[in-house]
Amino acid sequence: MNGMFLAAFALQWVVIVAMGLLMLGLFRQVGMLHERLGPVGALTLSGGSKVGEVAPSFDLPSLTGGEVRVGGATADGRSTLLFFVSPTCPMCKSMLPVLLSIARENADTTRLVFASDGDEPAQMKMIVQQKLADYPFVLSTDLGRAHGVGKLPYAVLLGADGTVASKGLVNNREHVESLFEAQRTGIASIQEYAARRDAQRVHTGAAK
């Protein structure tokens, strides 16, 4: 009886050790996959304003009241998150709760400004339905053209000094947060990150 107990006990430990080694292998594979893929960031499109350059300044009436300046140094020292939307863009509407949440979390350092073009009544309807009345909402084809907006939803993060900190297509929260991370690290886009990573790998390989 004691022999069977010892055998079962030993088998149990063999299984535990085997599972531990298996988990270790899985963690290693996940780490390697993460390194290969890199972070998921907003994809920057060609054209329009360049990251690091001073963005053109626009003084525009807001559909939610008053006038708003987009571009140039801000009086309160906050950055500007410019989010381009359209009433006919389903992904834009699905991103609105994310943008509003991020705007609340970063209210002390960043202001949120919505931008679009086209039919004003349709924009006003979206403002009411999506409860955007507390934020500036401007209509300007020239503004979108200045930042090279070709697809939606698109966001541009302007620094307090009016320079373009980061920009790109944003389809989820991680994409939006990557704009702030780009501003913090000075890496303009996911493309630049990938280029730096590949160059580092080449340099490391050559050193070996």
Side-chain angles (χ1 to χ4, degrees):
M1 195 73 174
N2 287 338
M4 292 179 62
F5 175 78
L6 291 174
F9 184 76
L11 180 60
Q12 181 181 15
W13 273 104
V14 168
V15 172
I16 292 173
V17 171
M19 290 181 63
L21 292 174
L22 179 61
M23 291 296 294
L24 184 61
L26 286 174
F27 286 142
R28 186 173 178 225
Q29 289 299 318
V30 170
M32 291 174 63
L33 181 61
H34 182 270
E35 182 180 353
R36 289 173 184 169
L37 293 177
V40 178
L43 180 64
T44 302
L45 302 178
S46 60
S49 58
K50 305 296 182 184
V51 173
E53 296 180 352
V54 176
S57 182
F58 295 84
D59 290 309
L60 300 166
S62 171
L63 295 183
T64 55
E67 189 172 80
V68 58
R69 170 165 289 184
V70 181
T74 57
D76 58 7
R78 293 190 297 168
S79 299
T80 298
L81 180 60
L82 188 58
F83 186 62
F84 292 87
V85 298
S86 170
T88 59
C89 171
M91 181 59 72
C92 296
K93 293 179 180 179
S94 70
M95 283 295 297
L96 289 176
V98 172
L99 266 295
L100 296 178
S101 174
I102 290 176
R104 289 190 293 268
E105 293 169 5
N106 297 275
D108 292 339
T109 59
T110 308
R111 64 168 182 164
L112 174 61
V113 177
F114 292 100
S116 188
D117 60 12
D119 184 45
E120 182 175 332
Q123 311 289 347
M124 290 300 302
K125 183 178 180 180
M126 181 175 66
I127 290 171
V128 173
Q129 290 179 340
Q130 303 297 329
K131 301 179 180 179
L132 308 179
D134 292 335
Y135 300 90
F137 196 115
V138 299
L139 291 182
S140 174
T141 301
D142 291 337
L143 178 62
R145 186 180 297 116
H147 290 291
V149 180
K151 296 181 180 180
L152 297 175
Y154 201 82
V156 179
L157 182 61
L158 303 176
D161 59 355
T163 59
V164 180
S166 54
K167 53 188 288 192
L169 288 168
V170 289
N171 294 322
N172 54 50
R173 186 183 183 93
E174 188 174 15
H175 288 168
V176 180
E177 291 177 342
S178 75
L179 299 179
F180 291 94
E181 185 65 14
Q183 182 184 41
R184 186 185 69 81
T185 61
I187 299 177
S189 65
I190 188 64
Q191 295 98 315
E192 182 177 334
Y193 171 86
R196 290 191 185 188
R197 181 190 61 188
D198 293 342
Q200 180 63 34
R201 285 177 177 173
V202 171
H203 176 74
T204 303
K208 291 180 180 179

